[in-house]
Amino acid sequence: MTDKIKYAIIGAGCMGQEHILNIEIIEDAEVVALCDTSEQSIKESLELLNNEVAIFEDYNELVRANIADAFIIATPNFTHIDVLKDVMKSEAHLLIEKPLCTTVKDCQEFEELSKKYPGVIWTAMEYRYMPPVQRMIQEIHNKTIGDLKMLSIREHRFPFLHKVDDWNRFTIKTGGTLVEKCCHFFDLMRLIAKSEPLKVYASGNQDVNHLDETYDGMTPDILDNAFVIVDFENGVRAFLDLCMFAENSEYQEELCAVGSIGKIETEVPSNQSGIANSDIRIGLRESDSSTKETIAVDIKILEAGHHHGSTYYEHTSFIKAIRNNTKPEVSLKDGLIAVAIGEAAEISINEDRVVQMSEFNLE
Ligand SMILES: NC(=O)c1ccc[n+]([C@@H]2O[C@H](COP(=O)([O-])OP(=O)(O)OC[C@H]3O[C@@H](n4cnc5c(N)ncnc54)[C@H](O)[C@@H]3O)[C@@H](O)[C@H]2O)c1
């Protein structure tokens, strides 16, 4: 395949537009079609594009038009399962925004249906591709800190933004905050630990955000803070500290891992902080000092989205998998287990108990 990779965006809202901005700065890729039910989203997306594209309101017509090599599915979470079943009538490569689906059951149904699908199917997990996070993972997997024992991830940020039709205000449409937002972090934990989750315990609530909002007479029901502990089969313990009423945090994510011989930590700057670089700090137990490495991201890449350059790097890897006919770096199984840990954490809070991952039939 020597031509540019032709992308069609299904769901041209906030995240769809971040994908457009990144594809626009990748030389061997182009957006050829947009599909959205909202005129406003189409209008905003067209403003980001330098070339003419085909416009669709119904993704079934986009599938029938057969004009794209790859579809990005960036519609609201609850629509993913239906969109996926329909776009599988094509043979296009699929980049599916996280969470893969809102429930383990839907993820498993899609996984089963996709077994013989000829295209690359990739769950979009942008946090894997943030340069400081990638560097930290490399050091952990190189055993710089010995055998990993403890991993903690803190996300302190602003509340959920307003989305088209405010679909992100209700658990039924998102899967719940710990699925919708935190599947990213559970995916990272599993990637870093190189192990499968055994059990999950969580404590959380909706204490501050969206309590004065109503939609068709209903108040939003999504958590705005939680602590989640995940125990892995290989003994690694991971911890998530989520707070969504912490605007103006300098760093949106802080990651810290401790192994048998040392500790490594890094931070991901929040968009509004204006900070472009991150530091990786490593302290070894038998040394008097620590080392620091600064990870810089190209400003052009930083400006193409809200995820510290990660969407750009995710696309370059996705394109490589398409061109080389290789397996996705983030598989459906990865997408499914990230949702399962999030679902387990939501159950843990709702039922006030430890949830064993064996309660889900994940084999
Ligand atoms: N990776 C990340 O960090 C990240 C960040 C934000 C959003 N997301 C994910 O991206 C997806 C979209 O979220 P968003 O923030 O862009 O929401 P959004 O509401 O801004 O955009 C969703 C778009 O989908 C359109 N849409 C809805 N139903 C449709 C249909 N049947 N056919 C075509 N278009 C349809 C809407 O009109 C809207 O324009 C979600 O799955 C979300 O979880 C991921």
Side-chain angles (χ1 to χ4, degrees), residues 270-286:
S270 66
N271 244 36
Q272 66 271 37
S273 71
I275 303 172
N277 299 339
S278 296
D279 290 332
I280 302 274
R281 291 178 302 282
I282 300 174
L284 298 181
R285 294 173 68 193
E286 291 193 354

Side-chain angles (χ1 to χ4, degrees), residues 75-131:
T75 55
N77 303 354
F78 69 98
T79 65
H80 289 187
I81 182 68
D82 289 338
V83 176
L84 287 170
K85 283 182 191 167
D86 285 335
V87 298
M88 281 176 67
K89 291 173 194 147
S90 77
E91 294 194 344
H93 306 287
L94 307 177
L95 181 68
I96 308 158
E97 261 310 331
K98 57 70 356 201
L100 181 55
C101 298
T102 53
T103 62
V104 169
K105 189 174 144 287
D106 284 355
C107 293
Q108 284 175 322
E109 185 185 351
F110 176 57
E111 196 184 26
E112 192 55 40
L113 290 172
S114 68
K115 283 211 164 119
K116 294 203 172 127
Y117 192 73
V120 173
I121 308 185
W122 185 300
T123 312
M125 285 291 185
E126 284 79 10
Y127 286 63
R128 283 189 181 208
Y129 294 91
M130 290 174 169

Side-chain angles (χ1 to χ4, degrees), residues 136-341:
M136 179 168 168
I137 294 173
Q138 193 183 30
E139 290 292 347
I140 295 171
H141 288 172
N142 283 347
K143 300 257 181 199
T144 306
I145 58 165
D147 292 328
L148 177 66
K149 298 295 176 195
M150 299 174 76
L151 169 67
S152 83
I153 302 178
R154 167 186 287 172
E155 183 175 66
H156 282 190
R157 54 160 272 181
F158 48 89
F160 281 116
L161 299 172
H162 280 282
K163 301 284 162 148
V164 176
D165 297 331
D166 288 304
W167 61 268
N168 62 349
R169 291 305 195 256
F170 293 94
T171 293
I172 189 80
K173 290 190 170 176
T174 64
T177 301
L178 299 176
V179 170
E180 141 65 20
K181 161 111 277 307
C182 302
C183 60
H184 274 303
F185 305 122
F186 302 136
D187 174 63
L188 268 186
M189 288 174 181
R190 198 175 146 256
L191 174 73
I192 293 173
K194 287 190 171 174
S195 182
E196 295 302 341
L198 257 187
K199 58 185 176 183
V200 175
Y201 175 70
S203 169
N205 201 12
Q206 180 185 8
D207 282 322
V208 177
N209 294 344
H210 318 303
L211 292 167
D212 55 355
E213 299 174 10
T214 50
Y215 301 89
D216 296 328
M218 288 184 299
T219 307
D221 65 349
I222 38 170
L223 301 171
D224 58 21
N225 71 100
F227 289 132
V228 183
I229 293 172
V230 185
D231 281 359
F232 283 86
E233 284 171 359
N234 63 359
V236 169
R237 257 183 276 284
F239 172 67
L240 172 69
D241 163 356
L242 173 76
C243 178
M244 298 190 68
F245 42 89
E247 291 90 339
N248 299 315
S249 297
E250 250 186 12
Y251 296 104
Q252 190 162 312
E253 286 86 24
E254 295 162 70
L255 287 86
C256 170
V258 190
S260 50
I261 62 167
K263 168 176 163 169
I264 180 165
E265 55 192 336
T266 193
E267 297 90 16
V268 181
S270 66
N271 244 36
Q272 66 271 37
S273 71
I275 303 172
N277 299 339
S278 296
D279 290 332
I280 302 274
R281 291 178 302 282
I282 300 174
L284 298 181
R285 294 173 68 193
E286 291 193 354
S287 157
D288 304 338
S289 57
S290 61
T291 60
K292 189 165 93 170
E293 179 190 355
T294 299
I295 311 285
V297 185
D298 184 327
I299 193 75
K300 191 173 82 175
I301 296 173
L302 269 186
E303 283 175 358
H306 300 282
H307 298 92
H308 203 62
S310 57
T311 306
Y312 175 87
Y313 296 110
E314 178 180 64
H315 275 288
T316 55
S317 296
F318 178 60
I319 290 170
K320 216 182 282 168
I322 293 174
R323 291 206 184 279
N324 301 340
N325 200 16
T326 49
K327 286 195 170 157
E329 281 173 7
V330 196
S331 66
L332 282 187
K333 186 181 177 210
D334 296 325
L336 159 69
I337 297 181
V339 166
I341 302 175

